[in-house]
Amino acid sequence: MIEKINLLKAEIESLTASTPEEVEALRIKYLSKKGSVSLLFNDFRTVPAEEKRMIGQALNELKNFATDKINGLRESLDSVENIDPTLDLTRTAAPLPLGSRHPLSIVRGEIISIFSRLGFTVAEGPEIEDDWHVFSSLNFAADHPARDMQDTFFIQRNPDVLLRTHTSSVQSRVMEHTQPPIRIICPGRVYRNEAISARAHCFFHQVEALYVDENVSFADLKQTLLYFAREMFGPQTSIRLRPSYFPFTEPSAEMDISCNLCGGKGCSFCKHTGWVEILGCGMVDPNVLDACGIDSRRYSGFALGMGVERITNLKYQVKDLRMFSENDRRFLEEFQSAR
Ligand code: DAH
């Protein structure tokens, strides 16, 4: 038995291999269940009791020796000397291609970040909505033209299942299950039945903001708007509020910022007025608070809503709305260096 062990050890010692496949073949030949080392272990049963200790030890040593040898062969194949000498190991690695974020995502992120510095948190709602959340709870009269088939996509001809036309629907969803103080912004996609052109699309993105608490005033709204405009477009930006109408706010206003292309001097972008419109806003109509279960005698609030495409156009001068959804890499790659 000892002789057999020594013979096998000598044989294993002289093994060589030049490919990983050869190493694997050796492993099978010697160390697998039916390999020659394992077979010797089977013979161990017939060894007389007084020799068992000595032979057992020799067998274990053989097995370890064979395992080390075969591992050693495998490692030597992986080692540096085996690397193709024609490869240039000093060459710098090929740069990893960097992706870019979509311009609308960049701007949405920036809007969220500005409002979160004022304590607003993000709320989301479904894109497939019902009449109550998109219109009725927001004080739209039953015959309001926005409910019209021309504006709204209805699903399966059911007037109560529709694609939201604005993210104001998230306001009512949040107010229904939260009591003030409420300070949320709602970014999301909205849909309108419009012919697609450079200036209109059947889907686009909005961010809605809502603040409801005791004693919220128009002054709070104005200060929030000014802060937002200056963070977004730079500290030299001025704002202007024009009276407007929305069913869900009273009073309502539209906000213009001083044209950030010409600095307010007048250019073709601002139609030589020096101002560009960027959002709608107002004090939440008490009817909306009451419809959503918030006591309008105790609480007041302001709301505002803006189009993300509009803000993005102002920041990056994208002239054609269709660019945002065409997945043209030449367009998207221009935003590689943007945040
Ligand atoms: N929902 C309006 C729209 O889609 C935007 C808007 C205007 C939202 C005034 C508001 C607001 O919250 O107060 O045109």
Side-chain angles (χ1 to χ4, degrees):
M1 185 77 183
I2 272 292
E3 223 159 89
K4 271 195 194 163
I5 292 175
N6 286 337
L7 271 179
L8 199 52
K9 191 170 175 189
E11 183 181 324
I12 291 172
E13 193 157 24
S14 64
L15 291 178
T16 58
S18 51
T19 64
E21 292 75 29
E22 282 175 31
V23 177
E24 180 58 11
L26 292 176
R27 188 192 65 79
I28 292 170
K29 179 165 176 204
Y30 292 98
L31 290 173
S32 68
K33 263 209 172 117
K34 295 211 169 114
S36 12
V37 175
S38 317
L39 291 177
L40 270 186
F41 272 86
N42 294 346
D43 295 348
F44 184 64
R45 268 182 261 120
T46 60
V47 169
E50 63 278 14
E51 289 178 24
K52 273 214 149 81
R53 198 183 141 82
M54 194 259 290
I55 303 263
Q57 214 170 359
L59 265 177
N60 276 330
E61 274 169 20
L62 175 69
K63 187 173 169 204
N64 290 340
F65 178 77
T67 310
D68 289 349
K69 172 79 187 181
I70 285 173
N71 285 344
L73 284 176
R74 187 178 294 128
E75 274 161 29
S76 73
L77 284 180
D78 293 342
S79 74
V80 183
E81 293 98 71
N82 284 296
I83 289 179
D84 179 352
T86 62
L87 290 181
D88 176 3
L89 296 180
T90 63
R91 204 179 116 175
T92 37
L96 285 177
L98 254 198
S100 51
R101 283 201 288 154
H102 193 282
L104 294 177
S105 305
I106 296 171
V107 171
R108 182 190 51 201
E110 227 168 299
I111 300 172
I112 293 174
S113 141
I114 295 171
F115 277 93
S116 63
R117 277 177 250 144
L118 295 174
F120 286 75
T121 52
V122 171
E124 286 184 329
E127 291 180 11
I128 301 176
E129 263 293 5
D130 50 34
D131 178 275
W132 171 255
H133 292 100
V134 177
F135 297 126
S136 301
S137 64
L138 294 170
N139 205 29
F140 278 79
D143 56 356
H144 194 283
R147 296 175 184 236
D148 202 302
M149 281 296 255
Q150 264 121 53
D151 268 316
T152 309
F153 285 116
F154 292 92
I155 292 180
Q156 292 177 341
R157 300 193 178 277
N158 179 345
D160 200 35
V161 187
L162 47 100
L163 294 176
R164 67 180 177 195
T165 55
H166 55 183
T167 45
S168 307
S169 54
V170 185
Q171 278 190 28
S172 32
R173 284 202 175 265
V174 170
M175 285 192 281
E176 273 173 356
H177 62 72
T178 322
Q179 282 300 306
I182 296 172
R183 218 173 337 183
I184 48 154
I185 51 168
C186 329
R189 181 174 288 175
V190 300
Y191 301 84
R192 285 185 201 173
N193 195 353
E194 303 244 15
I196 297 172
S197 71
R199 307 179 52 118
H201 211 297
C202 59
F203 64 81
F204 54 99
H205 301 81
Q206 290 187 332
V207 177
E208 182 86 11
L210 172 73
Y211 178 29
V212 185
D213 203 347
E214 284 175 3
N215 301 319
V216 176
S217 73
F218 204 91
D220 298 316
L221 169 61
K222 252 176 104 171
Q223 196 57 39
T224 305
L225 292 171
L226 184 63
Y227 177 78
F228 169 72
R230 293 198 165 156
E231 289 292 297
M232 193 74 198
F233 296 103
Q236 74 294 343
T237 312
S238 339
I239 64 169
R240 160 174 105 168
L241 291 172
R242 283 177 292 105
S244 184
Y245 172 78
F246 300 101
F248 36 91
T249 44
E250 181 57 37
S252 306
E254 270 166 324
M255 179 175 92
D256 300 339
I257 57 163
S258 49
C259 177
N260 67 326
L261 294 188
C262 62
K265 286 199 251 354
C267 64
S268 60
F269 187 78
C270 57
K271 302 199 186 85
H272 302 282
T273 62
W275 297 95
V276 284
E277 185 200 320
I278 65 163
L279 55 79
C281 57
M283 301 307 293
V284 181
D285 193 302
N287 288 345
V288 174
L289 295 175
D290 291 330
C292 297
I294 289 177
D295 183 354
S296 64
R297 281 163 308 175
R298 180 165 171 209
Y299 296 109
S300 56
F302 68 70
L304 59 99
M306 66 186 102
V308 182
E309 278 79 352
R310 175 112 189 111
I311 310 275
T312 310
N313 287 349
L314 274 169
K315 284 210 85 152
Y316 298 112
Q317 285 90 55
V318 179
K319 298 243 159 54
D320 187 330
L321 270 182
R322 290 169 290 196
M323 306 276 268
F324 289 125
S325 49
E326 272 170 355
N327 284 336
D328 184 334
R329 282 184 58 178
R330 290 167 304 177
F331 170 67
L332 297 173
E333 280 164 4
E334 286 186 37
F335 297 91
Q336 235 155 28
S337 59
R339 274 191 297 150

